[in-house]
């Protein structure tokens, strides 16, 4: 599987709201540097898993729609929109945010992430 296919598989899975699935994609030394609309956040392996656990408490379904994905060497750049369905209203899909992320892949895992997001 190419690194581009690996990243596509990651975003098509339930990893963003299921920490057990997420563990299979993360390198033990993973770091995400995230520039969000609320400021800069740096996440490590444990804090990424905790974020997935928090999301799973609020959302029953997560869906990512990728608009752009480019791979070169050990890097994959992906632009996507993240949609969720809440526990309170599981029939309605809601746009959570738009993202642009560059992933560095190491040992067939997500190793470094450089991410920007914007609420719609």
């Amino acid at each position: 599987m190419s690194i581009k296919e690996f990243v596509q598989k990651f975003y098509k899975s339930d990893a963003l709201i299921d920490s057990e699935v997420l563990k299979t994609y993360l390198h033990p030394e993973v770091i995400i540097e995230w520039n969000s609309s609320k400021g800069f956040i740096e996440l490590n392996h444990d804090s990424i898993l905790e974020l997935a656990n928090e999301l799973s408490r609020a959302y029953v379904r997560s869906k990512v729609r990728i608009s752009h994905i480019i791979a070169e060497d050990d890097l994959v750049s992906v632009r996507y929109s993240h949609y969720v369905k809440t526990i309170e209203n599981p029939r309605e899909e809601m746009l959570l945010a738009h993202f642009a992320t560059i992933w560095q892949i190491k040992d067939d895992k997500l190793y470094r992430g450089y991410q920007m997001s914007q609420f719609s």
Side-chain angles (χ1 to χ4, degrees):
M1 173 180 344
S2 71
I3 62 170
K4 183 176 174 180
E5 292 168 331
F6 172 76
V7 170
Q8 286 174 314
K9 183 178 175 186
F10 165 68
Y11 284 112
K12 286 182 181 179
S13 75
D14 280 334
L16 297 178
I17 62 168
D18 186 333
S19 61
E20 290 303 311
V21 174
L22 183 57
K23 285 179 190 178
T24 65
Y25 289 94
L26 296 181
H27 190 281
E29 299 168 8
V30 65
I31 298 287
I32 297 176
E33 294 180 4
W34 183 0
N35 291 288
S36 75
S37 54
K38 294 185 179 186
F40 178 79
I41 305 165
E42 185 173 287
L43 302 170
N44 64 19
H45 189 272
D46 292 339
S47 56
I48 295 167
L49 294 176
E50 181 55 36
L51 178 60
N53 285 331
E54 288 177 27
L55 291 174
S56 72
R57 287 191 280 274
Y59 306 116
V60 294
R61 183 79 174 109
S62 171
K63 186 176 195 174
V64 169
R65 293 196 180 113
I66 296 173
S67 61
H68 298 81
I69 186 164
I70 301 167
E72 182 177 315
D73 299 325
D74 64 345
L75 300 174
V76 178
S77 298
V78 61
R79 182 174 175 258
Y80 64 93
S81 299
H82 187 185
Y83 294 86
V84 292
K85 292 183 179 182
T86 64
I87 291 170
E88 295 82 13
N89 191 0
R91 293 187 181 141
E92 182 181 345
E93 190 173 75
M94 177 178 80
L95 175 62
L96 191 58
H98 300 289
F99 292 84
T101 308
I102 302 169
W103 281 110
Q104 180 183 8
I105 308 302
K106 181 178 177 183
D107 303 327
D108 299 322
K109 302 280 185 180
L110 301 171
Y111 178 63
R112 291 287 180 266
Y114 308 95
Q115 179 166 276
M116 293 178 68
S117 65
Q118 179 181 358
F119 292 109
S120 62

